[in-house]
Amino acid sequence: MNKPTIGDCNKPIGYHSGHYKSYGVNCQGACDSRLRFLFFGVVGAGTCHDSNALDTAAGLKEAIDSLCLGLYFVGDAAYNLSERLLVPFTGSQREDPDKDAFNFYLSQLRIRIEMAFGRLVNKWRILKTKLECDLTRNAEIIMCCAILHNYVINADNIGADDTMEGEESDTMEGDDTSATNDFIIRNAPSGMSYLPNIPEDFEEIEGTSQTRTAIIEDITDMNLRRPDHNIQRNAPAAANEPQIPDEYYHPT
């Protein structure tokens, strides 16, 4: 997009990305399994770190903080770890086989938001061009594209059940939905309803997560590992070529 003016913002240089060599904005989003945005917002300048941008994304931050214990969002390592927002291990922690396996399986969930943004940009080609309007109108254009993104996905699935193909609903006919959900949240073991067993009474400490610890314990018990095909695909082509991590598995 064009460089914002002083009339648009107090610090136009904050919108310039040294990595992309252009001006831009920070968009925060969360999506469901069908790639529909549950939250989408243009929340800051292009140089704003994602962890700081999340604090300004009021609706998304409130949604995360209001989750029942045992439910969680997943994000990349740019965000701060918490009980309701799980992020991958970084640095030397990844050398632990259990933590490396956690990173792999977390990435299989996290890829959905990458796919959602990819579909958004490829569907609405105006986002592939340089936006020429002022900062406010540029944000409105991006938000409009996100709304249309959801509209198209919903229109393509009219009459379709919300559960994914091959996935069974947790609610049986005649069951009370709220009671069923309460049971799942409190009692479902990890691997059955994707909810870990965590202590009922513990102190939440910023930067730590009993939920992630419980998942790691399940990974250890089940001896889960990153698949060999993923390890081989991520290996450098030559000894002098830097390794580029790619945790996403694309079935062929």
Side-chain angles (χ1 to χ4, degrees):
M1 69 180 204
N2 288 335
K3 178 181 178 179
T5 66
I6 294 296
D8 290 330
C9 60
N10 294 328
K11 192 178 180 181
I13 193 62
Y15 288 80
H16 185 266
S17 169
H19 177 74
Y20 294 105
K21 308 297 183 183
S22 63
Y23 290 88
V25 292
N26 185 302
C27 297
Q28 294 291 303
C31 72
D32 62 14
S33 61
R34 289 166 56 188
L35 310 187
R36 296 175 299 183
F37 287 111
L38 305 176
F39 174 90
F40 188 94
V42 181
V43 299
T47 56
C48 182
H49 194 275
D50 282 338
S51 60
N52 294 328
L54 179 60
D55 291 334
T56 65
L60 179 56
K61 187 70 164 58
E62 292 170 1
I64 294 173
D65 293 341
S66 65
L67 285 176
C68 297
L69 194 60
L71 298 177
Y72 48 83
F73 282 77
V74 297
D76 61 29
Y79 298 96
N80 296 321
L81 174 67
S82 71
E83 291 299 341
R84 296 168 179 83
L85 177 58
L86 302 188
V87 301
F89 291 95
T90 59
S92 61
Q93 292 178 315
R94 294 177 296 177
E95 297 176 6
D96 182 296
D98 294 327
K99 294 177 180 177
D100 180 65
F102 172 87
N103 279 7
F104 171 77
Y105 290 107
L106 187 77
S107 74
Q108 302 307 293
L109 301 176
R110 200 177 71 239
I111 193 176
R112 305 305 291 182
I113 191 63
E114 307 288 350
M115 294 171 65
F117 273 102
R119 180 179 291 188
L120 173 70
V121 173
N122 284 298
K123 181 71 174 179
W124 311 106
R125 293 306 179 95
I126 189 174
L127 299 180
K128 283 184 170 290
T129 65
K130 184 178 180 180
L131 299 180
E132 302 285 350
C133 303
D134 60 50
L135 187 59
T136 300
R137 181 54 59 87
N138 285 340
E140 290 173 346
I141 291 172
I142 297 170
M143 289 296 297
C144 181
C145 290
I147 293 170
L148 290 172
H149 167 95
N150 279 8
Y151 174 82
V152 170
I153 293 177
N154 287 332
D156 285 345
N157 289 275
I158 291 177
D161 190 89
D162 281 340
T163 55
M164 297 178 65
E165 183 178 355
E167 178 183 358
E168 297 182 359
S169 172
D170 289 316
T171 305
M172 301 297 290
E173 184 177 355
D175 285 352
D176 178 76
T177 301
S178 60
T180 303
N181 287 340
D182 284 344
F183 174 80
I184 293 171
I185 291 171
R186 289 197 305 268
N187 301 302
S190 179
M192 296 296 292
S193 294
Y194 306 101
L195 298 176
N197 291 319
I198 56 179
E200 294 185 0
D201 299 318
F202 66 91
E203 181 182 0
E204 294 189 33
I205 303 175
E206 185 177 357
T208 66
S209 172
Q210 292 281 351
T211 304
R212 190 170 74 166
T213 299
I215 295 174
I216 290 293
E217 291 174 354
D218 280 352
I219 287 175
T220 302
D221 292 341
M222 292 184 282
N223 196 31
L224 297 176
R225 291 293 179 263
R226 180 188 294 270
D228 290 339
H229 62 75
N230 186 262
I231 296 174
Q232 294 170 3
R233 185 166 56 85
N234 290 343
N240 59 350
E241 181 177 322
Q243 182 172 354
I244 302 174
D246 181 4
E247 298 171 346
Y248 300 142
Y249 168 46
H250 305 283
T252 57

